[in-house]
Amino acid sequence: MSKDKKNEDKEILEEFKELSEWQKRNQEYLKKKAEEEAALAEEKEKERQARMASKSEKSDATEEQESESDPKDSESAKEDSEEKVEESEDAKNEVAKEEPKSKEPKKQDKKIEKKPAKKEPAKPKIPVVHIWRAISILFISLILLIVSAYLLSPYATMKDIQVEGAVQTTADDIRQASGIQDSDYTISLLLDKAKYEEQIKSNYWVESAQLVYHFPTKFTIKVKEYDIVAYYVSGENHYPILSSGQLETSAVSLVSLPETYISVLFNDSEQIKTFTSELSQISPELKAAIQKVELAPSNVTSDLIRLTMNDSDEVLVPLSEMSKKLPYYSKIKPQLSEPSVIDMEVGIYSYTVADKLILEAEEKAKQEAKEAEKKQKEEEKKRLEEQQNKLEEKKKKLEEESNQNQTTRRSSRR
C-alpha cells in the first residue's frame, strides 16, 4: 500500500511539473477547499455527537429525528466536496485536451478510475402508521367500488319471494299487501324488514308476519293467520268470524264448514268484537259446548244474549259479562236432570225447558189477549170515528139546505 501511494505521489508530482502554473494553482486551490470542507464536516459530526450525549434522556422519537437530520448535513457536506472535486477534475480534463501532450489525459483517466465510488444515501423508511392508513383507505375504496358495481347491476333488484302459512288467503294477496315492488333493491328489503312485515299485517287474515332472507336473492314470508272462532249465519250463507273480531264479507261454501262450529245470528261489528274478546277468555271445553248465539235483549239488559248449547240447554247471559258468568254453567250442569234454561241476567237460577215452554205459552196467551184487546179497542175507536164522521156529514148537509132556503126566500121577497 505504501509503495502504491509513493507511486501515486510521484505521478502527481510529475503531473504538477508537466502542468502549467495556472493549472497547478487551480489544483492547489481545489485541494485546499476540499480539505476545509472535510474538516468542517468533521467538526459538525463532533458537534452532533456532543448534542446526542447531552440529550440522551429525551424520548426516542426526538433522538431519531436529530439522528436523521445531522447525518443528512454531514452527507450533504461530503457530497458538496465531492462535487467540487469532480468539477476540478473536469477542469483538468478540459485543459489537458487543449495541450498537445498525450500522456496527461491517460494519467487523468487513471485518476478517475481510482476515484472511490460515491455512496448513495439510505432511503428513509416509511412509518408503519402510514402503511396501515393506506391499506385501510384502499380497502374502503374497494368495498365502495364493489357495492357501487352491485347496485348498478341487475342483480341488485332480483328477488324470489315465497309465502308460507297462507291457508285462508292466497300468496298473491300476501305479496300485494307487503307492497314489495320488482324495482325494489334487495338491500332495501333487508334494511326495512319491519316496515314490510307491518304492511303484510294490513291483510285482516294475517295475525303476524316474518320476512326471512336466504342468500343470495330468496325471501320467505312466513305468516300466521287468525283463527275462525264462529260463523255468522244469514239464511244458508255462512260468513267466518275471525279471532280478531273481523267479519269476513264473502261467504264460504257449505262443504268447507267444519263438523261443529258456533253459529252467530247477529252481525253488528261492535257486538261481534265484544263477543270474540269474551270468547277468547273461555276454556276450549266450554267453547266446544256452544252451538248457537243470538240476541235476547230485555227491558233491564240491552246486550243480553241466548246461548244454545249442544245438549239443548240454554244460557241467558249479558254479552259484556259472558267470560265471568258462563264458567258457572260447568258447575250447574251436573245438577240438571233434563234440558234447562240457566238465567244469568241478574243472579243465577235455572228452570226446565218444559217450564220455559209453559211460561212462553202463558206469555204468548197474555200477549195475544193484549193484542186482541188492543184490536178491539182499535175497532171501537174506528166505529166511533165513523159515527162522528157521519154526524158531521149530516150536519154539513143541514147547513147547506138551510143556506139554500134562505137564498130562495130572499129571491122571492124581491
Side-chain angles (χ1 to χ4, degrees), residues 138-190:
L138 289 172
F139 181 71
I140 293 168
S141 302
L142 182 63
I143 290 174
L144 290 173
L145 180 64
I146 293 169
V147 171
S148 301
Y150 171 73
L151 292 175
L152 293 172
S153 69
Y155 294 100
T157 57
M158 289 179 64
K159 298 178 289 294
D160 179 19
I161 301 173
Q162 303 293 330
V163 179
E164 294 180 0
V167 179
Q168 303 297 334
T169 55
T170 62
D172 292 334
D173 291 338
I174 299 298
R175 290 192 194 97
Q176 187 175 0
S178 68
I180 299 172
Q181 303 295 328
D182 294 336
S183 59
D184 291 339
Y185 288 103
T186 307
I187 294 174
S188 67
L189 265 67
L190 291 172

Side-chain angles (χ1 to χ4, degrees), residues 3 50 69 74 79 93 98 141 144-145 163 192 203 208 216 219 299 306 326 344 365 409:
K3 288 180 180 181
S69 61
S74 61
E79 288 176 359
N93 292 332
E98 291 176 357
S141 302
L144 290 173
L145 180 64
V163 179
D192 297 333
N203 187 316
S208 63
F219 288 88
N299 296 328
R306 180 185 291 110
L326 192 59
M344 299 182 180
R409 285 176 186 176

Side-chain angles (χ1 to χ4, degrees), residues 310-414:
N310 291 327
D311 53 6
S312 300
D313 289 335
E314 292 182 5
V315 181
L316 294 170
V317 62
L319 180 60
S320 59
E321 299 178 357
M322 187 176 70
S323 61
K324 295 178 182 178
K325 292 187 175 182
L326 192 59
Y328 290 105
Y329 171 75
S330 302
K331 298 177 181 179
I332 296 170
K333 176 61 183 172
Q335 302 174 8
L336 303 175
S337 58
E338 55 181 319
S340 304
V341 177
I342 298 92
D343 193 339
M344 299 182 180
E345 181 180 5
V346 181
I348 298 174
Y349 62 94
S350 64
Y351 48 90
T352 62
V353 175
D355 295 336
K356 178 198 169 187
L357 294 173
I358 293 168
L359 290 171
E360 285 180 352
E362 289 177 355
E363 287 180 0
K364 190 176 181 181
K366 287 178 182 179
Q367 190 172 1
E368 288 176 354
K370 286 180 181 179
E371 288 178 355
E373 187 178 354
K374 186 177 179 181
K375 191 176 182 181
Q376 187 176 359
K377 286 180 179 179
E378 287 178 354
E379 288 177 356
E380 289 178 358
K381 188 178 179 181
K382 284 181 181 180
R383 199 179 298 118
L384 291 171
E385 287 177 354
E386 288 175 357
Q387 289 177 358
Q388 189 174 359
N389 290 332
K390 286 179 181 180
L391 291 171
E392 287 179 355
E393 287 177 359
K394 286 181 180 180
K395 188 177 179 181
K396 284 180 181 180
K397 286 180 181 180
L398 291 171
E399 287 178 355
E400 288 175 356
E401 288 177 356
S402 63
N403 289 332
Q404 288 177 359
N405 291 330
Q406 286 178 1
T407 52
T408 50
R409 285 176 186 176
R410 287 175 184 172
S411 60
S412 62
R413 285 177 185 178
R414 289 176 183 176

Side-chain angles (χ1 to χ4, degrees), residues 9-25:
D9 294 335
K10 286 178 181 180
E11 288 176 359
I12 291 167
L13 290 170
E14 288 175 359
E15 286 177 1
F16 273 112
K17 289 177 182 180
E18 292 173 359
L19 294 175
S20 63
E21 292 180 2
W22 181 85
Q23 290 176 347
K24 290 177 180 178
R25 285 196 301 272

Side-chain angles (χ1 to χ4, degrees), residues 28-38 81 84:
E28 288 176 359
Y29 172 74
L30 293 174
K31 188 175 180 181
K32 287 179 181 180
K33 194 171 183 181
E35 289 175 355
E36 288 175 359
E37 289 175 353
S81 62
K84 289 178 181 179

